[in-house]
Every structure is written in structure tokens, then in C-alpha cells.
Amino acid sequence: MADDLNGVTVPRGRIIPPNLAVVAMRDSGYKSTAYALAELIDNAIQAKASDVEVICVEAKPESAKKYQRARISQIAVVDNGEGMDAVVLDKALQFGNGMRLADRTGIGRFGMGLPNASISQCKRVDVWTWQNGLENAIHSYLNVDEMESGATELVPEVTLRPVPTEWRERSEILGRTGTLVVWSEFDEHRLTWSSARSTLHNTEMLVGRIYRKFIDDGRVAIRLKAISDGEVAYDEHARVNDPIYLMAPSSTPKPFDTTPMFQPWGEQDHKFTIKTEDRGAHDVIVRISWARPETVPKDGTNRGATHYGRHAAKNIGVSVVRAARELDLDDNWVNSYDPVERWWGVEVEFPPELDEIFGVTNNKQAAVHFARMAHFNWEDEAEEGETSVAFKQRLLEEGDPRYHLIDITNYIRNQLKEVRKRLEAQTKGTRSGGQRHEQPTVDDRASKAFKDRAEERSVESDAEVLDDAAKEALVKDLEKKRYEPDVARGIAQTAQDRDRKVLFLIEDWESYAFFKVESKPGGLTEIVFNSSHPAYRRLLQVLSPEFRDEVSEAVLLRNLDEASQTLRMLFAAWARLEIEEMSNARKQQLKDMRQDWGQMAKTFLAVDDLTE
């Protein structure tokens, strides 16, 4: 069509040309092929399927040379759900026009899953569905090339077409009702993984996490099968993959495959009730867990290097769950530098009625409003003189969804602060405790320096010995510092066995002091670092054996650089302390202390490394 304007014919173009619309929809943001497949599994579960199969078929192209590997030629999702009639199938292949747009009772709703997920991975999707046997199946399809060229503007006509023989042979769950979705004609760069085996292996990890509640209670079984050159190359059922590690059995490696690896934090889940004018009151459940003490190896080795530790490293973050189906494992809440993060779990579960509050995306991969709360600080947005109560009231009046999420956010932050402290206490001293009868540690080197110094300038405590009474007092002291009882006893026993005079310890307390020095019975001196002080994290923690063993070389180099800068900043702080001192007498004392400490440090650093 065209308009006549002052005698000039102006052609009227489409606001969005079909080819550009298709390109945009194909790049709709699925994180991986596994996430796109999850959309189809959603449809199956919504259709009340008890069994779902994901079948990946590999075949060599006809033009392939002998040395060339088979490539993925088809990926199918089969279910034994209710199936669809012709009207529902037609709508299911339309973008944004599904049958559950107003449905808040299940895991669906957005009407984008089947077409969006499919064309994000391939150029053609075929759908067979049946409600009265395989021979009575109906069929339709989408073809990206036809859509881009404009040859197809309507969903192709739904026709009677029995389920193909090859799929009857490949599937083991086909029954009276069900649906078969087949992807083909792949753009190689769109598939996340190049082989069928790797595609299904990674999909198994993801769907085991997304649908863990369905798998755990038996509502659905998800099977993953790879067929290469006509032979079954992979055949596994998705196992529960619980990121808060409270479910068992699960895919967690032994010994935690049949028993939960974590324990609940607190006696019960925490419930928040969100009230909205249009959808009433609905509950949000927050579950928090933390690692059991048994996860710490008794031989003192790093638990992060175990098989179950590496499994936990892939499940870091806050699990956001909608209608029993995980949307996202949100790592915005994680301190990426800290290996302790893999040893806690948080799950936030809410119903579909709160989609707008949490900011659920139409591809069900995130809750964007909740994700942004991870770094939310009300003071950054408060008006001058505005209190926290007034700020919340303003959010409520403005209809800002964050109003409903602030209390949840504060609860998670406060609880995680305590959980992290308890987790650090679990492993304090285990490294040296596990190796106490093998190679010496810095505690031994410092103890030798103390003994050497005592030969030149003795103090009263140098003559004391760590006898059994002093050892028991040390155990109690360590437990007060939140060391696990068995770890505390191991440290005390080692101190006695090796005649230590110095112990380097960690404790959390509110103070500006970076460390404190405590004299204990038995001539023992404790040098206790304050884990709440930023210097501890930036200098000592990042260079600890636990950190070194769990980070990449690039991260380790970055940590070394930060530690070097932190050390310089500590000296800069001392320099400023001297400069700002107004009293000449006090300023001289500081200079004398610096001189004396430097002299002592020179002597101590001259002590040989006992591990060499």
C-alpha cells in the first residue's frame, strides 16, 4: 500500500520486516542449547507428562570424508502427556499466543517457549501430537527460511500424519497420547556443544537442577539418549541436582550421593508473605543450607579438590524457583573470590502470581528484579534526609516491585554473613591439623624464632611447657574462637607434640585491629587475625592454601597482585598515622616502634624455612 502526499506516492513499508523479526527472535537470549530444551520439557510437564525423553541423533553427512565425525542431525523431545488438538497445535507454533497466557497455575504462561526455543537452535522444527494413538497424530512445522523470505506468514496447515517409524523405534515411552518435537537443519554455531554426548551430558546436569523437585517426588522422569550412526551411544536418566544439597539420592558424587551433603540452616524455612492489590497475598519461601562437617576431609586435604567439592563448584549461587521449577542459579549474590561460597545454598521459591514482582523473563531464565537486589543499597537512592522506612513507603507508593523484595534481600544477606563465618570455622586449622605429623608449618618456623630469641633475651613465659592442663585450656580457647571441636583438639595436640610457642589463628570480632596477641598457659603466644578486617581478606585469605588450590592461575595472579597492593596500603596507613600525630612525644614513640619492629622482623625473617 502507498499514500498520496502532495502528488507524490509514498510507499508504506512494514514496521518490522519479516526477515529482521525472525533474526531478532532467533537471538532471543537462551543461555545454551540445554536451556532451550528446557522450554520443551516445560511444555511436556504442563501437559501432565510423567515421562520425557530427549533424543539426540548424530549422522555423517553424505559428503563427509572417512575421518570426519558424525554431526548432530536431529534433536527431539518426546513426552507421554495429554497431546494437543489442531487448534492448540496451531497456537503453540505462534509466537506469544500460547494457550496458557493467563494461566498462573503451572510452570508455563508466556506463550513463547516452543517456537522461540526451537528457532534459537535450528532452522526447522516439526511437531507431531496425538490424543488417540500414534496413527492418528497431527503434524505441523516452522521453517526459518520460509519465514525470512515471507513465503510463510501463517502457521502451516495442521494435517493428519502418523508418527514416523524411526521415532517409534527410537522412543520407549510412546503411548496413546503424547507429543514429539523434532529439531533439524542446524546452524552449527547455534548449538552450544558439538557432539550428542556432550550436549546430553550438560543437559542432564541442568535439567536435573531445573526440575529437581519434579524428579525427586516422582512426578516426572527425564531420559536422555544419544544415537550415533544408528547405535545408542548415551542413555541416562536425569538425576536430582540440588544446588542446596538437601535432597538425596542425587547426582552428587560419593559419599553424598545417597545422603544430603548440606544441612538446613535453622530449624525451619523462612516465609515472607507478599500482598498485592491485583493478585492477593502469596508466600515466598527462603531455604538456606550449609555444608555438613563431614565434608571436611579428616586427612586435612582441601575439600574443594574432592569430587563432591568440584560438583559444588558448579552449583554456586541463589537458586530462584518458580512453581517448583528453577529459573536461575543467580551468582550475583556470590563473592566470586571466596571458595567458601560453594559450601552454602539458598533457595527462594515463589508462585507465578508474583512474576511481575520478581521480574520473570518470558524465556524463564531469570527473575531480573530479584537479581538486581543482590547489590541493592537503599542509601544510594534515598533522598536527602530520607529514612529507610520513608524510602520503603515511597517505593510502595510508586509501585516499585523492590518494595516487596527488600525484607527478603536483607534476610538473605544477614543469614549469609553468619553462614560464611560458620563455614570458615569448619576448616580453620584443618590444613595444619591434617598434616601435623608431616612437614613443618609457619607456626613451627615462628616458634623456632621465639626460641632463638629466648636465648638472647628471655622472658618468664619462655620457660613454660604446654602440659596436659595447658593443652586442655587451649582446646577450650580454640572452641570459643569457633574452631570445630575435633580441629581444636588436633591443633592443641600438635602444639604439644611439636613444642610450639606460636600459633597463628583466625577469629571474627568487631574491631579496627587487624590482629591481636594473646599469651596463653604453657608459654604459648597466639597471633589472632581478625577475619572481619579487610586486610585479612585481601592479604592473608586470598593467599591461603585453600584459596590457592581452588582458583585458576589467572585468579591466583590477580590475588597476588592485590595482596602486594594491600601490603603497600598497610604501610601507607602507618605512614599517615605518623604524619597526623600532633604530639611530638607520641610521634617519636611511633618512629621508635617502627624501628624496633623492623629490627625484630629482620631477625625473624632470617630463620630458615623448616620445610626446605
Side-chain angles (χ1 to χ4, degrees):
M1 295 180 62
D3 287 335
D4 191 295
L5 185 63
N6 296 327
V8 178
T9 301
V10 180
R12 297 177 62 188
R14 294 178 181 268
I15 296 175
I16 304 176
N19 61 320
L20 295 182
V22 172
V23 170
M25 287 186 289
R26 297 198 76 193
D27 296 329
S28 54
Y30 285 96
K31 297 175 184 177
S32 69
T33 300
Y35 275 97
L37 286 168
E39 284 277 23
L40 306 189
I41 298 173
D42 280 354
N43 293 341
I45 293 175
Q46 192 81 1
K48 301 180 181 177
S50 60
D51 288 289
V52 180
E53 288 177 328
V54 180
I55 303 174
C56 200
V57 180
E58 286 182 329
K60 283 188 177 183
E62 293 182 3
S63 58
K65 297 187 167 98
K66 288 184 179 180
Y67 61 84
Q68 288 183 309
R69 293 179 53 187
R71 297 179 180 178
I72 297 175
S73 59
Q74 294 172 304
I75 299 178
V77 174
V78 192
D79 70 65
N80 66 347
E82 296 174 326
M84 296 177 276
D85 60 26
V87 174
V88 176
L89 176 56
D90 182 79
K91 285 186 177 292
L93 289 170
Q94 298 176 37
F95 291 85
N97 194 24
M99 297 297 292
R100 298 186 175 93
L101 297 182
D103 186 357
R104 302 274 182 156
T105 62
I107 60 179
R109 183 171 82 81
F110 296 99
M112 298 293 285
L114 174 54
N116 248 34
S118 298
I119 70 169
S120 75
Q121 304 297 310
C122 66
K123 288 188 173 184
R124 182 181 175 98
V125 53
D126 288 87
V127 182
W128 287 265
T129 185
W130 56 98
Q131 296 181 317
N132 188 27
L134 304 178
E135 293 298 325
N136 297 311
I138 54 176
H139 168 269
S140 191
Y141 70 96
L142 293 179
N143 185 296
V144 168
D145 290 337
E146 293 178 4
M147 294 161 61
E148 286 183 332
S149 68
T152 299
E153 294 186 358
L154 302 176
V155 174
E157 182 181 359
V158 176
T159 60
L160 282 170
R161 185 174 169 186
V163 174
T165 302
E166 64 265 27
W167 290 109
R168 300 190 195 201
E169 294 173 350
R170 292 165 178 166
S171 174
E172 297 181 33
I173 64 170
L174 296 179
R176 181 176 176 80
T177 62
T179 298
L180 164 66
V181 180
V182 180
W183 294 347
S184 60
E185 299 181 18
F186 294 100
D187 313 87
E188 281 192 40
H189 68 280
R190 290 187 174 274
L191 292 177
T192 309
W193 302 280
S194 60
S195 72
R197 177 179 286 274
S198 58
T199 296
L200 295 182
H201 174 73
N202 286 282
T203 298
E204 194 256 340
M205 183 85 174
L206 180 71
V207 301
R209 199 182 73 218
I210 289 178
Y211 304 106
R212 61 183 180 270
K213 294 177 183 290
F214 294 89
I215 297 171
D216 183 61
D217 64 17
R219 275 180 283 178
V220 70
I222 302 173
R223 187 173 188 169
L224 303 107
K225 182 188 295 187
I227 298 174
S228 183
D229 292 329
E231 300 293 329
V232 175
Y234 183 97
D235 191 356
E236 298 286 345
H237 274 89
R239 295 167 294 169
V240 166
N241 176 21
D242 182 14
I244 65 172
Y245 291 98
L246 295 177
M247 292 180 175
S250 71
S251 63
T252 312
K254 293 180 179 180
F256 301 106
D257 52 339
T258 56
T259 187
M261 186 163 71
F262 288 7
Q263 57 193 324
W265 176 260
E267 295 182 0
Q268 59 186 12
D269 303 334
H270 204 82
K271 182 172 72 174
F272 296 85
T273 300
I274 293 180
K275 297 179 181 179
T276 61
E277 291 184 3
D278 54 343
R279 301 204 179 275
H282 299 280
D283 292 336
V284 177
I285 305 298
V286 179
R287 300 179 181 90
I288 300 178
S289 61
W290 60 305
R292 293 182 180 275
E294 306 93 273
T295 59
V296 181
K298 293 183 179 179
D299 62 1
T301 56
N302 174 22
R303 63 178 168 180
T306 62
H307 290 299
Y308 56 83
R310 288 194 287 268
H311 191 278
K314 298 176 182 178
N315 279 331
I316 295 178
V318 173
S319 177
V320 183
V321 177
R322 170 188 179 270
R325 186 253 200 218
E326 184 183 86
L327 297 177
D328 188 23
L329 189 60
D330 187 354
D331 61 5
N332 286 295
W333 304 79
V334 173
N335 297 327
S336 59
Y337 61 84
D338 193 346
V340 80
E341 299 297 270
R342 72 179 66 177
W343 300 108
W344 57 258
V346 174
E347 179 183 279
V348 178
E349 185 169 14
F350 63 94
E353 287 84 358
L354 299 178
D355 283 350
E356 288 79 9
I357 299 296
F358 278 81
V360 177
T361 57
N362 63 13
N363 60 14
K364 290 172 287 187
Q365 291 184 123
V368 293
H369 295 161
F370 179 73
R372 290 169 186 154
M373 296 301 290
H375 305 293
F376 172 76
N377 183 349
W378 72 270
E379 293 177 329
D380 293 340
E381 300 183 36
E383 297 175 353
E384 186 175 353
E386 191 174 34
T387 65
S388 61
V389 174
F391 176 78
K392 282 186 66 177
Q393 183 61 32
R394 177 160 62 85
L395 292 185
L396 176 62
E397 293 171 357
E398 294 174 354
D400 193 318
R402 293 178 298 175
Y403 165 80
H404 301 284
L405 301 175
I406 289 177
D407 290 344
I408 299 173
T409 299
N410 290 339
Y411 173 76
I412 293 173
R413 285 177 177 170
N414 292 335
Q415 296 305 308
L416 282 182
K417 183 178 180 180
E418 295 304 314
V419 169
R420 287 170 175 134
K421 291 178 182 178
R422 294 291 297 274
L423 287 170
E424 288 177 358
Q426 277 187 344
T427 56
K428 283 197 302 186
T430 56
R431 194 79 174 192
S432 58
Q435 299 173 345
R436 57 182 178 269
H437 298 303
E438 298 173 14
Q439 62 184 39
T441 68
V442 69
D443 302 64
D444 297 299
R445 188 178 180 188
S447 295
K448 185 177 186 304
F450 264 54
K451 293 172 185 176
D452 292 347
R453 179 72 177 175
E455 294 178 2
E456 301 176 15
R457 186 173 178 177
S458 178
V459 295
E460 184 177 345
S461 62
D462 288 332
E464 296 182 25
V465 177
L466 190 66
D467 56 21
D468 288 343
K471 182 181 72 174
E472 291 304 314
L474 176 59
V475 171
K476 292 180 180 179
D477 173 65
L478 292 170
E479 289 179 352
K480 286 182 180 179
K481 290 181 169 65
R482 303 184 77 168
Y483 282 77
E484 292 292 321
D486 58 337
V487 174
R489 186 157 296 282
I491 292 173
Q493 185 63 54
T494 302
Q496 185 182 60
D497 293 347
R498 305 186 88 148
D499 190 25
R500 284 178 174 165
K501 292 295 183 181
V502 178
L503 285 181
F504 292 98
L505 302 173
I506 303 165
E507 187 180 9
D508 179 87
W509 76 92
E510 294 298 327
S511 170
Y512 289 121
F514 173 31
F515 67 96
K516 60 185 177 182
V517 178
E518 297 181 346
S519 296
K520 298 297 177 182
L524 196 64
T525 299
E526 292 181 352
I527 302 167
V528 188
F529 296 106
N530 183 1
S531 60
S532 292
H533 198 286
Y536 170 75
R537 175 176 64 80
R538 297 177 185 175
L539 183 61
L540 297 181
Q541 189 180 42
V542 297
L543 298 180
S544 68
E546 290 78 13
F547 267 62
R548 292 201 308 266
D549 292 349
E550 296 193 32
V551 299
S552 65
E553 183 177 348
V555 172
L556 179 59
L557 291 174
R558 186 168 67 246
N559 289 346
L560 286 171
D561 180 63
E562 181 176 1
S564 176
Q565 292 187 42
T566 299
L567 187 59
R568 287 174 170 80
M569 292 301 291
L570 288 175
F571 294 145
W574 179 278
R576 187 66 190 182
L577 183 66
E578 285 191 24
I579 292 171
E580 290 185 2
E581 181 55 58
M582 301 301 294
S583 167
N584 288 333
R586 171 65 174 163
K587 184 173 289 189
Q588 187 59 49
Q589 286 180 337
L590 290 173
K591 290 181 179 179
D592 291 343
M593 289 171 61
R594 171 162 48 85
Q595 183 73 16
D596 292 343
W597 189 20
Q599 182 179 359
M600 187 72 74
K602 183 178 180 180
T603 301
F604 272 50
L605 292 175
V607 174
D608 293 335
D609 184 351
L610 302 179
T611 63
E612 294 181 350

